[in-house]
Amino acid sequence: MTASSEELETSVPRAEPTSFDSYVRARSDGLLRLAWLITRNWDDARDAIQDAFVSLYPRWPQLPSGARLESYVYRSAVNACLRIIRSRKADPVADPAGLREAPILGDPTATVAASTELWRLCGKLPPLQRTAVVLRFYQDLSFAEVAAAMGCREATARSHVHRAIATLRTSLKEDLS
């Protein structure tokens, strides 16, 4: 006896959106931006998010709900991104058109240049550090949420962010001198 998709959707209580299709429609753009920030390549980002959703689909009815579902999806997306990065021969050059626009404060050219430079330096970080920085500062996740998304302890997530910031500071100082 097989259950219909409607029965599967109602068998597990879950916060909106309830169906896999509506979840994908609601979350795919945000996850794609997250994947681009980690992989630094649109094609790889699309592949990673597709891989993550393909792996989630068969298990969708059994997945947790609410915040635990979000954490599970983030972890799947991050793991897919890291698999793609590890399989690469070399890191691609980031497409500056995909960066968020910098807020205009004072001289806009200086602000945009600083933002572009910072994202360029982020692109040089090791994949795990870059992932932690993107999750923490771009996605605005807590360290506990970063740890859950990366599948590590909170202290490890903090360490990745701390090391990344130290590397970025050193790189900025070197560029200024």
Side-chain angles (χ1 to χ4, degrees):
M1 179 173 163
T2 60
S4 70
S5 62
E6 290 177 4
E7 290 171 344
L8 290 175
E9 288 174 18
T10 58
S11 66
V12 177
R14 178 175 293 143
E16 286 296 324
T18 56
S19 74
F20 180 78
D21 291 341
S22 62
Y23 186 90
V24 169
R25 278 191 293 277
R27 302 293 196 287
S28 61
D29 287 343
L31 288 169
L32 182 60
R33 285 189 297 274
L34 168 73
W36 181 85
L37 288 167
I38 294 170
T39 63
R40 311 296 283 176
N41 179 288
W42 281 113
D43 293 329
D44 288 347
R46 285 184 202 98
D47 288 346
I49 296 308
Q50 180 177 339
D51 290 349
F53 281 136
V54 165
S55 71
L56 290 170
Y57 180 74
R59 298 187 313 269
W60 188 255
Q62 292 82 33
L63 294 180
S65 62
R68 291 182 59 214
L69 174 65
E70 292 298 317
S71 184
Y72 195 90
V73 171
Y74 272 126
R75 183 170 181 181
S76 295
V78 166
N79 287 344
C81 290
L82 294 176
R83 270 193 304 277
I84 286 173
I85 289 171
R86 288 180 187 125
S87 70
R88 279 192 203 144
K89 301 274 188 277
D91 281 339
V93 176
D95 176 15
L99 298 175
R100 290 192 316 179
E101 290 184 21
I104 298 177
L105 303 171
D107 179 12
T109 57
T111 304
V112 170
S115 176
T116 302
E117 178 64 12
L118 185 58
W119 280 114
R120 184 187 66 77
L121 293 174
C122 280
K124 291 182 176 184
L125 290 171
L128 290 175
Q129 289 180 13
R130 183 171 59 236
T131 300
V133 166
V134 167
L135 291 170
R136 178 70 179 110
F137 298 110
Y138 183 78
Q139 291 296 122
D140 200 27
L141 299 181
S142 69
F143 283 109
E145 293 168 323
V146 171
M150 292 181 68
C152 63
R153 294 179 311 137
E154 187 173 339
T156 304
R158 287 180 185 276
S159 177
H160 286 311
V161 171
H162 174 74
R163 288 182 180 147
I165 290 172
T167 300
L168 291 172
R169 282 186 182 138
T170 301
S171 297
L172 284 171
K173 285 180 185 175
E174 288 173 1
D175 286 356
L176 292 175
S177 28

